[in-house]
Amino acid sequence: MTVNVLVLGAGGRIARWAVDMLGREDVELTLLTREQTRLPDVPPGARVVEGGVRDPEVLGQALQGQDVVYANLAGDLDEQARAIVAAMGAASVRRLVFVTALGIYDEVPGAFGRWNTQTIGTGTLRTYRAAADTITTSGLDYTILRPAWLSDKDEIDYEVTTRGEPFRGTTVSRKSVAALAVDIIKDPSRWVGADVGVNKPGTEGDRPVFD
């Protein structure tokens, strides 16, 4: 059965990998982006909608008929999460895959955890934590992904940790995060209600390890 998928933040660097992968699957794609020029390659048949998630009219129209929403956003993620939850509720769309960041639960141990908090900043981590809290209390069928520091390496190599477990590793490729998101989109019953960290095995260290 064809799955209808809405990608929010489709011009982002992880999302571009995901859009490329989804373009080869049995899905109907709708891509929401602030500027269509940020989409270097649009799969055949995909619909492109220009606008932001905090525009209720644009988001509401983009959500019509969707089965799964994949959100890969940045910035005021707390406000965007609230807008997404409200619009999905109004459109009766339940499945959401939402990307945040490592460290929002103070789950990154040791020297790397201290470096991560200092580098990202407590204000940004609080904003991303607030977004995750909005998603987890929304009543939606959600999966939250918390990737490690991101590389542009052309590889799929990752492992996951669940919420409550110490985060492992320091880095992961954007392509790996996209692959996990696409696997969930292809089988929306996977990882429902889960909040998972994503890292490349063997990248432990006091600072990000880009091998």
Side-chain angles (χ1 to χ4, degrees):
M1 183 179 69
T2 301
V3 179
N4 296 303
V5 182
L6 171 62
V7 180
L8 306 179
R13 292 163 71 186
I14 299 175
R16 290 179 191 177
W17 282 111
V19 168
D20 180 67
M21 296 174 192
L22 289 167
R24 301 186 220 112
E25 302 293 338
D26 185 17
V27 300
E28 292 289 338
L29 274 176
T30 301
L31 310 178
L32 182 68
T33 180
R34 291 188 180 277
E35 298 178 13
Q36 187 166 347
T37 55
R38 295 188 63 189
L39 299 177
D41 296 297
V42 177
R47 178 169 68 110
V48 178
V49 178
E50 285 193 324
V53 299
R54 290 196 294 161
D55 184 325
E57 182 176 353
V58 168
L59 184 56
Q61 290 176 354
L63 279 165
Q64 295 305 308
Q66 302 296 339
D67 300 307
V68 182
V69 177
Y70 166 52
N72 210 145
L73 303 161
D76 54 350
L77 208 62
D78 52 346
E79 295 182 19
Q80 294 179 79
R82 288 193 290 271
I84 292 166
V85 168
M88 289 181 66
S92 299
V93 179
R94 295 196 51 79
R95 191 66 175 100
L96 173 64
V97 181
F98 193 92
V99 179
T100 58
L102 78 166
I104 61 173
Y105 303 120
D106 196 26
E107 80 279 19
V108 184
F112 175 58
R114 294 188 292 273
W115 180 90
N116 183 73
T117 298
Q118 182 179 30
T119 304
I120 295 177
T122 55
T124 299
L125 289 172
R126 279 196 297 267
T127 297
Y128 279 47
R129 168 63 187 269
D133 289 345
T134 294
I135 300 302
T136 56
T137 59
S138 65
L140 297 173
D141 297 329
Y142 68 86
T143 306
I144 292 174
L145 305 181
R146 290 175 280 112
W149 285 74
L150 296 161
S151 80
D152 286 320
K153 196 166 186 179
D154 187 358
E155 67 175 10
I156 298 175
D157 185 9
Y158 67 88
E159 62 183 358
V160 300
T161 51
T162 58
R163 183 172 177 177
E165 288 186 287
F167 198 95
R168 293 197 296 268
T170 61
T171 60
V172 71
S173 69
R174 289 178 172 87
K175 187 175 184 179
S176 293
V177 180
L180 175 55
V182 169
D183 283 347
I184 295 169
I185 291 167
K186 289 164 55 180
D187 182 3
S189 65
R190 295 187 63 199
W191 295 106
V192 174
D195 184 325
V196 297
V198 191
N199 71 281
K200 179 179 178 178
T203 60
E204 292 77 10
D206 294 344
R207 297 288 189 276
V209 176
F210 294 99
D211 57 355

